[in-house]
Amino acid sequence: MKLLIYGNKTEEIKRLAEKAGFEIVDKKPDMVASVGGDGTLMKSEKDFPEIPKFILKKSKTSKKGHDILPEVILNKIAKKEYKIEEEIKIEAVSGDKKIVGLNEIIVHNIDPRRAIRYEIFINGKKTCNEIIGDGVVISTPYGSTGYYRSITNSVFEVGLGVAFNNSIEKLDHMIVKDNSEIIIKMTRGKAIVYADNNDEEIILDNDHEILIRKYKNKAKIVKFI
């Protein structure tokens, strides 16, 4: 199997992987070993989309990593003692700009001293009055253990989660079907839109809007038997 090792300080992992029988490559891998934490996994999905991935945990705060020694994980992969689960991804589209994320799309006020005002539409229907706050997080089930949970103190397994960040809304979140199209329309202020651990961004100004929806392809995450 061709394995790409993604992350920093990977020499020891490379040695263990070669010992387990993997061919180490830097392009066109059969599988990606993400060495680090959740952020490294998200970056590896951006750079090598839809290739099966697993985390070799180096972060104490990682929620997705396994508390298993790297050599044990690599031997399980080599022996095919695993399954691959597909996770939906999410995209934000504005004009000719597009950002794709595994965990979430975040719309956030650029100036932390000033709230933004925006409206939200689900499948063309306005769902709330004008919202005032710091922004909104649109999360996948896989990403619901991240920023979505920090706002709502909850997670979910099906659909897309919409969490309002420091807003005037009485409810701090809602769950919609994963085939929903969500439009965020700015009515006052300037916001930045970004995804996961991704340097790309989209800037929204007054009267700008952005479409957020399920991405056409899915991530492939390795789970151990």
Side-chain angles (χ1 to χ4, degrees):
M1 180 185 292
K2 295 179 180 179
L3 181 69
L4 186 144
I5 302 174
Y6 190 100
N8 298 319
K9 299 179 181 180
T10 59
E11 286 305 313
E12 176 64 14
I13 300 300
K14 180 179 178 181
R15 184 185 67 79
L16 292 172
E18 289 175 335
K19 184 178 179 180
F22 292 95
E23 177 186 352
I24 308 303
V25 298
D26 57 12
K27 58 183 179 180
K28 296 183 179 180
D30 298 314
M31 194 171 288
V32 174
S34 178
V35 182
D38 299 352
T40 306
L41 175 69
M42 290 183 280
K43 287 181 69 175
S44 67
E45 179 62 24
K46 175 183 178 295
D47 292 344
F48 297 92
E50 290 89 55
I51 302 296
K53 294 174 182 67
F54 60 94
I55 293 178
L56 294 178
K57 187 174 176 181
K58 276 194 173 183
S59 169
K60 293 180 180 180
T61 60
S62 173
K63 295 181 176 66
K64 304 298 184 183
H66 302 273
D67 291 321
I68 308 173
L69 291 173
E71 53 265 41
V72 175
I73 289 178
L74 290 165
N75 284 324
K76 281 182 172 289
I77 297 291
K79 295 176 182 178
K80 301 188 184 302
E81 295 176 354
Y82 65 88
K83 60 182 179 179
I84 295 176
E85 295 185 356
E86 293 189 335
E87 300 286 349
I88 65 171
K89 299 202 288 184
I90 193 170
E91 67 175 356
V93 182
S94 181
D96 59 354
K97 296 180 179 180
K98 179 170 70 173
I99 299 175
V100 177
L102 172 59
N103 270 20
E104 69 265 311
I105 299 292
I106 297 175
V107 180
H108 202 283
N109 54 333
I110 287 181
D111 186 344
R113 298 166 299 181
R114 295 177 173 84
I116 55 175
R117 296 178 182 236
Y118 60 93
E119 297 172 334
I120 183 167
F121 299 82
I122 308 295
N123 298 323
K125 183 179 179 180
K126 186 176 177 180
T127 61
C128 307
N129 294 322
E130 182 183 62
I131 300 170
I132 304 173
D134 288 347
V136 59
V137 173
I138 315 295
S139 172
T140 66
Y142 190 78
S144 67
T145 58
Y147 289 121
Y148 179 90
R149 183 177 183 178
S150 71
I151 295 171
T152 69
N153 196 32
S154 65
V155 297
F156 63 95
E157 296 182 354
V158 178
L160 296 176
V162 182
F164 303 108
N165 189 6
N166 289 334
S167 81
I168 62 171
E169 286 298 294
K170 292 181 180 179
L171 297 177
D172 61 5
H173 72 282
M174 59 183 176
I175 308 293
V176 300
K177 292 181 179 179
D178 68 11
N179 62 354
S180 300
E181 293 198 337
I182 302 165
I183 291 178
I184 307 296
K185 182 178 180 180
M186 297 291 297
T187 56
R188 194 180 79 181
K190 184 176 286 188
I192 183 172
V193 183
Y194 54 96
D196 296 345
N197 196 358
N198 188 333
D199 292 333
E200 297 176 12
E201 61 187 41
I202 297 173
I203 303 299
L204 299 180
D205 212 331
N206 293 346
D207 296 324
H208 286 181
E209 61 182 45
I210 193 156
L211 168 64
I212 301 169
R213 63 191 174 193
K214 180 172 67 175
Y215 186 56
K216 61 182 178 180
N217 297 330
K218 294 182 178 181
K220 298 178 181 179
I221 307 298
V222 175
K223 300 293 178 68
F224 298 103
I225 300 172

